[in-house]
Amino acid sequence: MARLFISYRRDDTGAYADRLCERLAAFQYQVFFDRQDIPLGADYADRIRTALGESAAMLVLIGPRWADSRDAENRRRLPVGFTDDPADWVRREVTLARSLRLPVITVRFDLAALSPGDLPAELAELATNQGYRIDGNYFDRDVDYFCTQLERLLVAAGRSPSPQGAPADRIPNQFRLIWIALAAVTLGTAVAPAAVPMLPGNLWMFPGAMTLAAFTWWLY
């Protein structure tokens, strides 16, 4: 399954980020999440660059304080104009993802809104990005639907294998074929004694039991 890079601000959507990562993992997505994927003592700059290079898409989690987030000295992290804050890693992550031509998808929480005028020029397109809104009151429902839309996007972009090609889906298909083959063998062994009297009449019982077991596994 595709690898996703989660970009977020801890003071804005930190709590949602944990829940979203757990839900994405349940859908078999591989997720790069700094709190769990950058070990203590590691060079986080190198880890972030490497992870972006291995990712199929970036999810930018945006809450009400994303654009107006401030540092310890109360300076705006995303100043508009020529002033820059090189310490703002969220800005650098998004810029690097765009340079790698990754799909950048905004995921907005708590009715967060963005205006192009609130953002530096290189991030202004995030304000008009066709993203996805998640209502915290219906988190699981909204994330489940988001995952299905995300899969369609990545498959269409050639960045994720189609669901039909996934190993988890091939296994039930293989069991279905085995069940059909065993059913055919059972039928053949059931009628064979009529054509060849020397064959035992219960010859069909073993393949029949195997057929029933395969059918039960496939059904449940």
Side-chain angles (χ1 to χ4, degrees), residues 167 169-181 214 217-218:
D169 290 328
R170 286 201 299 266
I171 291 174
N173 289 332
Q174 291 172 354
F175 267 90
R176 190 179 297 112
L177 293 175
I178 291 173
W179 169 60
I180 293 173
W217 190 96
W218 171 71

Side-chain angles (χ1 to χ4, degrees), residues 8-94:
Y8 71 106
R9 296 192 187 282
R10 295 190 180 187
D11 61 349
D12 182 41
T13 54
Y16 284 127
D18 289 312
R19 294 179 63 191
L20 180 62
C21 287
E22 291 177 2
R23 202 66 184 164
L24 290 169
F27 276 80
Q28 306 303 312
Y29 282 102
Q30 298 178 31
V31 180
F32 177 84
F33 185 44
D34 61 350
R35 284 208 287 253
Q36 65 187 22
D37 292 316
I38 302 181
L40 293 176
D43 186 326
Y44 64 85
D46 285 344
R47 293 286 180 134
I48 287 173
R49 294 189 188 98
T50 300
L52 280 170
E54 297 172 347
S55 296
M58 168 185 277
L59 305 184
V60 184
L61 312 190
I62 297 176
R65 295 183 299 277
W66 188 85
D68 197 41
S69 178
R70 298 177 181 271
D71 62 16
E73 298 180 10
N74 201 35
R75 294 176 301 190
R76 197 168 184 267
R77 295 186 187 276
L78 290 178
V80 179
F82 57 84
T83 308
D84 192 10
D85 179 8
D88 183 22
W89 264 97
V90 168
R91 181 177 185 169
R92 295 169 69 177
E93 288 168 359
V94 175

Side-chain angles (χ1 to χ4, degrees), residues 176-190 204 207-208 210-212 214-215:
R176 190 179 297 112
L177 293 175
I178 291 173
W179 169 60
I180 293 173
L182 286 172
V185 172
T186 302
L187 180 61
T189 53
W204 61 272
M210 296 296 293
T211 302
L212 180 61
F215 176 74

